[in-house]
Amino acid sequence: MPSAVSIREVGPRDGLQNEDPVPTEAKVRLLDALTATGVGRIEAVSFVHPKAIPQMADADEVWKAASKNPQVRYSALVPNSRGAQRALDAGFTEIEVVVSASDTHNRRNLNRSTDESLDDIAALIDLLHNAGARAEVIVATSFGCPYEGDVDPARVASIIDRVVADGADRVAFGDTTGMATPPRVVAVVSRVRERHPDLPILLHFHNTRGTALANVYAALQLGVTEFDASVGGLGGCPYAPGASGNVATEEVVHMLHDMGIETGVDLAALLDAARLAQEIVGRELPSGVLRAGPRLPDMR
Amino acid sequence: MPSAVSIREVGPRDGLQNEDPVPTEAKVRLLDALTATGVGRIEAVSFVHPKAIPQMADADEVWKAASKNPQVRYSALVPNSRGAQRALDAGFTEIEVVVSASDTHNRRNLNRSTDESLDDIAALIDLLHNAGARAEVIVATSFGCPYEGDVDPARVASIIDRVVADGADRVAFGDTTGMATPPRVVAVVSRVRERHPDLPILLHFHNTRGTALANVYAALQLGVTEFDASVGGLGGCPYAPGASGNVATEEVVHMLHDMGIETGVDLAALLDAARLAQEIVGRELPSGVLRAGPRLPDMR
């Protein structure tokens, strides 16, 4: 088991992107509350076309107004080179781009084949590197696709081979609609690890069918130390049927802290941020730790 | 990993006991629907004083009217020798009794100390054995107590030593308010296994803080093959603050089947039973698999 884990908080982006639009000032308040939790990384915004995702139309204003803490690594998600340029102009140096392992999901999400997206990503990586930024490639539907069903871990691994050859600095595996179970996590991670032992990998789980923390536990046993999570369990995936929220950050942090694994996050501050997230979206969020509180009241 | 797991469905008892009272005929319909799922064991009713738990006042009528399948092992929970006699008179041969590892929880739940309860249980085991029935002792708050906090696994193990010496046929560990995390499961199970290698043990998790399936996964890795679960995630524990439902049977079965572990349960029939449970209690139940469906539509 690792002694420490790096959490990337994705509520401001992946979370709010999949909720009804909220005011700019509310986004800024949530970002600032998350910055205050001690979390090491925050996916702050995405730079996408406002017609495609109106929830992120004010990304520039949000980012400009947010308090930046030099201890926190902030990142932005982009769909293409235009978005990448906006992210670079806004000052981001860590940038993520998504491709789906499943061709059908990629077509519905990005209107092109997985291979076409991989060609785009190769060019995007060059653009980012030339600007001195780092590129993370997120492989969506890595553990299953709502349209195609099971996804062969060999296909996921070959996508990784391709993006590593094209210069990706880091990769992430997205369980876009909550289809992962522990053996599927083991199959993908161990195959990629075998081929790219030094490649930084991050796992992004949704708790659609209750397996998110089981998947985290299985990944920890393989030595994985980077996970996405979303405050309060905000968000999901609008392009996939039956999708529901990202795993709640406080559920991940709560389990890790009880296991003696450090995250740097102050659980009480994180729960404050989760309550704020709930207030902002105006509905009860699907986080057990938010609802019931930590297993011990004074747990940090 | 085991190749097969035995699920005990506890929705009709632990589930309905913690919901607003429902009509007798609804309980019978739910029991019959669960019998039809192929699940190997069902905790059907409890024989408790109707003033203490009005939800179970009609236990005799429910059990009389339910369809019994000889392939299914039905059990009843009892609080004392009077309840045990009622269970025996009703024809049960598998009977469960509860004691809390934490003294404060035991006092609030049963109005006596853990040691006093253990004395009562010794007499109860004799009563059951003399009638040809088997006795399971469930140790509540095995992974933490909402009043006392952490519970020492050594205390849990010493309770097991005592009940085994008194003749218990089987034991179960209850995560009464969802305070278990994987290392706590490992600590309790491995300690008990070391001292009683042949003792059948069963784990009962609540998903209060999202860790239930992680705990199941950790237990599977230790070779545990018996788990309680509640259809739809019905129920909780009325004597504990912040408690929420049992882990949903369909979430456990869904993960196990995807892992290639057999349960004998027909997932589609189980989801029918979960929909019925939801209709009976008249509110949305906290089951991700019920809400989103299985990861593949044709999954059994």
Side-chain angles (χ1 to χ4, degrees):
Chain A
M1 284 285 162
S3 60
V5 150
S6 169
I7 302 284
R8 179 168 64 191
E9 169 58 52
V10 301
R13 201 286 303 171
D14 196 12
L16 290 182
Q17 178 163 327
N18 295 295
E19 303 284 345
D20 290 336
V22 303
T24 304
E25 65 80 24
K27 294 178 191 175
V28 174
R29 269 198 296 151
L30 181 61
L31 257 176
D32 290 353
L34 291 166
T35 290
T37 63
V39 73
R41 297 149 81 179
I42 300 178
E43 188 184 63
V45 289
S46 64
F47 292 98
V48 290
H49 197 288
K51 273 198 185 142
I53 301 183
Q55 291 92 333
M56 292 287 132
D58 55 358
D60 276 302
E61 293 90 311
V62 168
W63 180 238
K64 204 167 288 171
S67 311
K68 286 87 168 173
N69 180 330
Q71 307 296 316
V72 180
R73 291 164 55 192
Y74 299 94
S75 61
L77 183 86
V78 306
N80 51 33
S81 56
R82 181 175 304 182
Q85 196 53 58
R86 285 178 63 200
L88 292 168
D89 292 346
F92 284 95
T93 56
E94 296 207 33
I95 290 170
E96 297 128 28
V97 60
V98 179
V99 61
S100 294
S102 139
D103 215 62
T104 311
H105 190 268
N106 204 73
R107 285 180 192 280
R108 299 223 189 177
N109 196 3
L110 299 167
N111 203 27
R112 68 203 69 192
S113 71
T114 297
D115 282 342
E116 287 167 329
S117 277
L118 288 171
D119 290 341
D120 296 346
I121 287 171
L124 199 72
I125 292 171
D126 287 343
L127 171 74
L128 294 175
H129 284 177
N130 288 337
R134 280 180 292 179
E136 172 178 307
V137 178
I138 300 170
V139 184
T141 66
S142 282
F143 308 99
C145 167
Y147 309 114
E148 295 187 12
D150 288 335
V151 169
D152 187 350
R155 178 168 166 90
V156 177
S158 79
I159 290 171
I160 299 303
D161 291 347
R162 165 80 197 265
V163 302
V164 167
D166 290 338
D169 300 291
R170 335 174 5 86
V171 298
F173 300 95
D175 181 25
T176 313
T177 59
M179 293 175 72
T181 56
R184 296 186 186 275
V185 175
V186 172
V188 168
V189 169
S190 54
R191 192 181 273 259
V192 170
R193 271 283 178 73
E194 206 171 83
R195 292 146 79 118
H196 308 282
D198 300 322
L199 180 67
I201 68 175
L202 177 148
L203 299 178
H204 174 111
F205 293 121
H206 283 212
N207 202 24
T208 317
R209 294 169 181 89
T211 59
L213 292 187
N215 296 332
V216 168
Y217 184 66
L220 291 169
Q221 291 181 320
L222 300 175
V224 175
T225 58
E226 303 186 26
F227 297 94
D228 273 356
S230 177
V231 63
L234 275 176
C237 176
Y239 304 107
S244 77
N246 293 281
V247 63
T249 313
E250 56 274 20
E251 290 193 356
V252 177
V253 167
H254 177 267
M255 183 177 85
L256 293 173
H257 286 194
D258 190 53
M259 293 173 69
I261 298 174
E262 286 181 27
T263 66
V265 177
D266 179 317
L267 184 59
L270 179 60
L271 286 167
D272 287 341
R275 276 183 283 268
L276 174 63
Q278 199 160 251
E279 185 195 309
I280 286 172
V281 298
R283 65 178 179 89
E284 192 181 35
L285 291 174
S287 160
V289 176
L290 178 57
R291 211 173 308 124
R295 60 187 296 288
L296 300 180
D298 57 349
M299 202 175 155
R300 300 305 295 179
Chain B
M1 284 284 161
S3 60
V5 150
S6 168
I7 302 284
R8 179 169 64 191
E9 168 59 52
V10 301
R13 201 286 302 172
D14 197 13
L16 290 183
Q17 178 163 328
N18 296 295
E19 302 284 346
D20 290 337
V22 303
T24 305
E25 65 79 24
K27 294 179 191 175
V28 174
R29 269 199 296 151
L30 181 62
L31 258 176
D32 289 354
L34 290 166
T35 289
T37 63
V39 72
R41 296 148 82 179
I42 300 177
E43 187 184 64
V45 289
S46 64
F47 291 98
V48 289
H49 196 287
K51 274 199 185 142
I53 302 182
Q55 291 92 333
M56 291 287 131
D58 55 358
D60 277 302
E61 294 89 312
V62 168
W63 179 238
K64 204 167 285 171
S67 312
K68 285 86 167 175
N69 181 329
Q71 305 297 315
V72 180
R73 289 164 54 192
Y74 299 95
S75 62
L77 183 85
V78 305
N80 51 33
S81 55
R82 183 175 303 183
Q85 196 54 58
R86 284 178 62 198
L88 292 168
D89 292 346
F92 284 95
T93 56
E94 295 208 32
I95 290 170
E96 297 128 29
V97 59
V98 179
V99 60
S100 294
S102 138
D103 214 63
T104 311
H105 191 268
N106 203 74
R107 285 180 191 279
R108 298 224 190 177
N109 196 1
L110 299 168
N111 203 27
R112 68 202 70 191
S113 71
T114 297
D115 282 342
E116 287 167 329
S117 279
L118 288 171
D119 291 339
D120 295 346
I121 286 171
L124 199 73
I125 292 171
D126 287 342
L127 171 74
L128 295 175
H129 284 177
N130 288 336
R134 279 181 292 178
E136 173 178 307
V137 178
I138 301 171
V139 184
T141 65
S142 282
F143 308 100
C145 166
Y147 309 114
E148 295 187 11
D150 289 335
V151 169
D152 187 348
R155 180 169 165 89
V156 178
S158 78
I159 290 171
I160 300 303
D161 291 347
R162 164 79 197 265
V163 301
V164 167
D166 290 337
D169 299 291
R170 336 175 4 87
V171 298
F173 300 95
D175 181 24
T176 314
T177 59
M179 293 175 71
T181 56
R184 295 186 188 277
V185 175
V186 172
V188 167
V189 169
S190 54
R191 191 181 273 258
V192 170
R193 270 283 178 71
E194 207 170 82
R195 294 147 78 117
H196 306 282
D198 300 322
L199 180 67
I201 69 176
L202 177 147
L203 299 178
H204 174 110
F205 293 121
H206 283 212
N207 201 25
T208 317
R209 295 170 180 88
T211 58
L213 292 187
N215 296 333
V216 168
Y217 185 66
L220 291 169
Q221 292 180 320
L222 300 175
V224 174
T225 58
E226 305 186 26
F227 298 94
D228 274 355
S230 176
V231 63
L234 274 177
C237 174
Y239 305 108
S244 77
N246 293 283
V247 64
T249 313
E250 56 274 20
E251 291 192 356
V252 177
V253 166
H254 177 267
M255 182 176 86
L256 292 173
H257 286 194
D258 190 53
M259 293 173 70
I261 297 173
E262 287 182 26
T263 65
V265 177
D266 180 317
L267 184 58
L270 179 60
L271 286 167
D272 287 341
R275 277 183 283 269
L276 174 63
Q278 199 160 250
E279 186 195 308
I280 286 172
V281 298
R283 65 178 179 90
E284 191 181 34
L285 291 174
S287 160
V289 175
L290 177 57
R291 211 174 306 125
R295 59 187 298 287
L296 301 179
D298 58 350
M299 199 175 156
R300 300 306 294 181

